[in-house]
Each structure stands twice: as C-alpha cells, then as structure tokens.
Amino acid sequence: MSCVIKSTSPCFETLKAVDGEIFHLAFHQARFDQTRQALYGSMSKIVLSEHLAPPKEGIYRVRVEYAEALQKIEYIPCALHTLQTFAFVETEIDYAYKYCNREALNVHLQGNSDDVIFTCKGKLQDTSIANIALLIDGEWKTPLHPLLKGTTRERLLKSGALKAEVLDMKSLQKAQKFAIMNALIGFKIIDNVLWIKE
C-alpha cells in the first residue's frame, strides 16, 4: 500500500533543443522520474524522448509540464536575457521540486536588479532561475543546499568540474569569479557583476 501524499501542483522540466537535438536528456529524465515518484506516487515509466519533437532549426526552450502524467509540452524560441545585477533576499523557501507555481520565488524579485540571490540563515542558495557557483582558490564551488538541484549543477558535480560546499557572504567576498547555470544557459561566468545590498 502506498503512503505517498500526492501533490496537487504540477511541475515542469525546461530542456534546451538546438536544431532538433535535445541537450543532456538523461539528467532531465532522472529528475522527471524522481519527482513523479516523490510527489505523485507514480511508478509508471514515461520516456521523455518518445514525446519530444522540437523544431529541426533554431534554439528552443522545451517546457514539459507534468504531474502523474504529461500535461503539456511547449517549444518556445529561446531568448536569453543579460543578468548583471543581483540583490540579496534572506528567506526560507521550499522549492526542492520544479513547481509550475513559482509565486514563492517571484514575489521577491525587485525592480532594481536583474535577479535576486536567495540566502537562508546567511547561506547562499540560488538565483530565481539558476544555480550559482563561485571560483575560490582555483576551484568552482556551488552551494551544498541549493533551492533546486538543477540538472546542469548535477552534471557538473558528477564530472568533477564543481564542488558542493556551504557558502556564505564571506565566500562571495573571497570569490575571484561568479557564475550562474541552468539548462538553457549552461555554465555562464558573469563579468562585472554588481551586488545590490539593502
């Protein structure tokens, strides 16, 4: 007998497709499977590759909305925005799964910055759309406890390109470089980053 309490909120995966090829599908499939089991109690297998058919030309954001079953698949032309300024928001948010309802994150976005960096009890977590990394003493480090375990973060941790550690504001001050990462932008170093502090 299953004791899983099913979630009422759908989740989504964001994948990148270039000229019909979907990048790093195995990592998205793994998170998709784990989320469906944890939130919706689903043990049935859905193979994403059998349902995805991105356009053969161009760069697209593939948005897969799902709960126990697939609900909607969209192919959206990819338009990346420049992120340069970040404000800091200290709060406790539960976004361990990629919920479609992002109000808990979006309510903290501010007009004076391109994005925010969430902190919890002084520890760095994520921006609203990406995991983060700091270059400290020649090593790229990412927060041990992010808001969301992104697929790019997971891939770079497994390859050894990233190391997960507890990071705080002092870590930020020691960092030689700052980067953000997600499925669409990959791993992007941001030069001339501007921190906005209250």
Side-chain angles (χ1 to χ4, degrees):
M1 187 175 84
S2 174
C3 295
V4 174
I5 300 174
K6 295 186 180 182
S7 172
T8 57
S9 172
C11 288
F12 72 104
E13 279 293 316
T14 302
L15 306 88
K16 183 178 182 179
V18 178
D19 296 337
E21 179 186 353
I22 298 173
F23 285 33
H24 311 298
L25 182 55
F27 287 91
H28 293 282
Q29 182 74 57
R31 183 169 62 182
F32 174 80
D33 293 343
Q34 192 271 333
T35 300
R36 287 181 64 242
Q37 182 175 348
L39 291 186
Y40 313 113
S42 179
M43 302 297 289
S44 63
K45 181 75 171 178
I46 296 175
V47 180
L48 286 174
S49 62
E50 296 176 357
H51 298 271
L52 302 180
K56 295 298 183 185
E57 292 185 4
I59 303 174
Y60 284 82
R61 173 163 59 97
V62 182
R63 189 179 191 276
V64 179
E65 188 172 315
Y66 67 96
E68 187 171 356
L70 291 176
Q71 296 185 349
K72 183 166 56 173
I73 299 174
E74 297 177 288
Y75 304 101
I76 304 159
C78 199
L80 300 179
H81 304 287
T82 300
L83 300 179
Q84 208 80 48
T85 60
F86 296 85
F88 293 91
V89 172
E90 170 68 24
T91 187
E92 291 190 38
I93 298 174
D94 179 10
Y95 196 71
Y97 297 96
K98 201 172 173 73
Y99 296 111
C100 290
N101 184 349
R102 290 174 49 86
E103 186 58 30
L105 303 178
N106 294 340
V107 70
H108 295 288
L109 298 180
Q110 303 172 16
N112 64 342
S113 64
D114 297 322
D115 203 347
V116 298
I117 293 180
F118 292 102
T119 63
C120 181
K121 299 177 182 176
K123 309 302 181 189
L124 300 178
Q125 293 188 301
D126 291 338
T127 78
S128 72
I129 62 166
N131 295 124
I132 65 173
L134 305 178
L135 183 65
I136 300 175
D137 298 328
E139 283 189 315
W140 281 105
K141 301 179 180 182
T142 194
L144 181 62
H145 302 293
L147 283 176
L148 177 73
K149 293 181 178 179
T151 57
T152 301
R153 175 185 182 273
E154 184 69 16
R155 178 167 54 83
L156 294 177
L157 283 170
K158 285 193 171 182
S159 73
L162 270 182
K163 185 177 181 181
E165 288 187 4
V166 174
L167 301 174
D168 56 19
M169 298 301 287
K170 289 182 180 178
S171 307
L172 197 62
Q173 293 167 1
K174 292 191 298 182
Q176 291 86 49
K177 292 185 179 181
F178 171 77
I180 59 176
M181 66 193 112
N182 65 26
L184 293 181
I185 62 176
F187 186 89
K188 182 175 178 59
I189 298 171
I190 299 181
D191 297 315
N192 302 315
V193 62
L194 177 63
W195 309 118
I196 298 176
K197 299 179 181 178
E198 296 298 327

